[in-house]
Amino acid sequence: MRLAVLKERRAGEARVAATPDTVKKLLALGLTVVVEAGAGIGAAISDQEFAAAGAEIVADAAAALAGAGIVFAVNAPDEAVRALIAPGTLVVATLGAASDPALAPALAAAKIDAVGLELLPRITRAQSMDVLSSQANLAGFRGVIEAAGAFTRGFPMMMTAAGTVPPARVFVIGAGVAGLQAIATARRLGGIVSATDVRPAAKEEIKSLGATYVGVDDDESAKQTGPYAGQMSDEFRKKQADLMAATVAKNDIVVCTALVQGRKAPVIVTSEMVASMKAGSIIVDLAAEAGGNCAETVPGEVITTPNGVTILGHRNWPARIAVAASALYARNLLTFLTTFWDKDAKAPKLTETDDIIKGALLTKGGEIVHPNFKPAA
């Protein structure tokens, strides 16, 4: 069976869905791996390195997809690429179907069998193929590193003969995978770190990393469980906003990581809060892709407000650390495929009663099969 790895066409996307290491393992399954020329350039992987690993390099998407039974991609293929994919082909990618209502019907109409790895259930068996966690982890790291680069006062406390440079005060909003990595990174850089999350269970995780917990504890937050936060009521958001106002004003760097999958990011840092911050302060909005947690964020841009606060609103944070992000993402895809690989048939076997397949399979046989995306009767 032929597996195609495509060059990403989304603006600003530097990641790739395979690496020379995963190509070798895919070949060991009995697959023929075809890589579109230039697919790995943004992740510092040359065509020659892919070829040395055993992949066939072809000139364009049409050549890569000719005869392919499986397609690995970072993002959902666009309309032009979908037109080149044969019916029955299995596409494995981060599809983003929750934010694009037209995608699932389009994939079904093209008779593409599509797996959206962002839809994986949060169960132990799926952890090693969880693209949201692997990419969010790197986004949290990168966000703090870029904040440190933009911050003009120095991060750790430094005692010199000329005087003492105080440490940066860092406040992390959201203690999921990205937030916890942001906390750990800011601590390693020497900052004084505090953090908040709507889930009470996060309190101990925050403290275990050496940060101070700041949060609203009530009946609604007590119901929040698991690694990802759910939608909160307006009343809770009001309580949270009051607490945030006091906390944001006294911090130098604010890292926003609060996301609800498939929905617009909740606005937590208001314009008034931004106005209360000192000149030279930094806001890192890891939720910019979904509109941003900060009211002043301009998705895709870095701006400085009239009072001197710099807001980093990059849309695709994992792509800003593309080498590491590609390595982890490629392993996620490899793990998914090997988990459901039929060694005798040398083909994927997606058993629809399996919890992982039930959670991640979006379309199959020309139909939308995921219950969250099926059209209303």
Side-chain angles (χ1 to χ4, degrees):
M1 182 174 283
R2 183 178 173 98
L3 183 148
V5 178
L6 299 179
K7 182 178 181 179
E8 296 299 317
R9 284 154 173 77
R10 179 183 173 188
E13 185 59 81
R15 293 172 292 171
V16 63
T19 63
D21 180 60
T22 64
V23 164
K24 293 175 184 177
K25 292 178 171 61
L26 291 168
L27 293 171
L29 295 178
L31 286 159
T32 298
V33 180
V34 184
V35 178
E36 183 180 357
I41 296 302
I45 304 171
S46 67
D47 292 344
Q48 290 75 18
E49 288 175 280
F50 275 127
E56 177 187 346
I57 309 300
V58 295
D60 52 31
L65 292 168
I70 304 171
V71 176
F72 275 4
V74 177
N75 303 295
D78 60 25
E79 185 177 357
V81 173
R82 289 199 300 268
L84 302 171
I85 300 175
T89 302
L90 174 64
V91 173
V92 186
T94 305
L95 298 174
S99 56
D100 183 0
L103 181 62
L107 290 167
K111 293 184 170 56
I112 295 170
D113 297 346
V115 169
L117 291 183
E118 79 279 9
L119 302 173
L120 285 168
R122 310 270 85 81
I123 58 177
T124 302
R125 281 181 60 224
Q127 285 182 347
S128 58
M129 55 189 87
D130 186 352
V131 296
L132 293 182
S133 293
S134 72
Q135 303 303 287
N137 184 58
L138 291 170
F141 166 80
R142 183 68 185 193
V144 173
I145 295 300
E146 294 205 20
F151 190 55
T152 56
R153 295 195 188 114
F155 220 99
M157 181 174 74
M158 292 179 279
M159 301 179 71
T160 75
T164 299
V165 177
R169 302 187 69 90
V170 182
F171 179 48
V172 179
I173 299 173
V177 175
L180 292 174
Q181 182 58 250
I183 292 167
T185 303
R187 287 275 297 153
R188 285 195 291 267
L189 290 176
I192 297 175
V193 186
S194 59
T196 187
D197 196 280
V198 298
R199 299 166 299 125
K203 182 188 298 186
E204 295 308 315
E205 293 178 306
I206 290 169
K207 290 182 176 179
S208 73
L209 291 173
T212 302
Y213 173 75
V214 177
V216 176
D217 291 325
D218 63 8
D219 291 340
E220 185 175 358
S221 64
K223 296 175 184 176
Q224 293 288 322
T225 58
Y228 299 98
Q231 189 80 351
M232 306 302 287
S233 69
D234 291 340
E235 182 181 355
F236 180 89
R237 290 186 188 180
K238 176 64 168 63
K239 293 179 185 177
Q240 189 183 44
D242 292 341
L243 180 63
M244 294 300 102
T247 308
V248 166
K250 64 184 181 184
N251 277 276
D252 302 304
I253 296 170
V254 175
V255 182
C256 304
T257 74
L259 276 169
V260 180
Q261 285 301 312
R263 298 179 182 173
K264 186 181 184 301
V267 175
I268 298 173
V269 179
T270 65
S271 298
E272 291 76 16
M273 294 179 197
V274 176
S276 73
M277 298 178 74
K278 300 185 294 289
S281 298
I282 308 293
I283 295 174
V284 178
D285 201 336
L286 299 184
E289 185 82 30
N293 293 142
C294 175
E296 297 298 317
T297 295
V298 178
E301 296 185 20
V302 175
I303 65 166
T304 301
T305 65
N307 63 314
V309 177
T310 297
I311 303 175
L312 308 182
H314 302 298
R315 287 185 181 275
N316 186 349
W317 284 92
R320 301 184 70 77
I321 184 169
V323 173
S326 296
L328 297 188
Y329 185 83
R331 287 177 205 149
N332 291 148
L333 267 64
L334 173 69
T335 301
F336 175 83
L337 190 62
T338 54
T339 299
F340 298 101
W341 187 254
D342 187 323
K343 293 181 181 178
D344 295 327
K346 291 189 177 180
K349 184 178 180 180
L350 306 184
T351 306
E352 292 181 48
T353 55
D354 185 281
D355 287 341
I356 292 176
I357 299 304
K358 282 194 291 187
L361 187 62
L362 180 64
T363 58
K364 183 177 176 64
E367 296 182 1
I368 300 171
V369 297
H370 197 289
N372 293 357
F373 298 93
K374 284 184 177 179

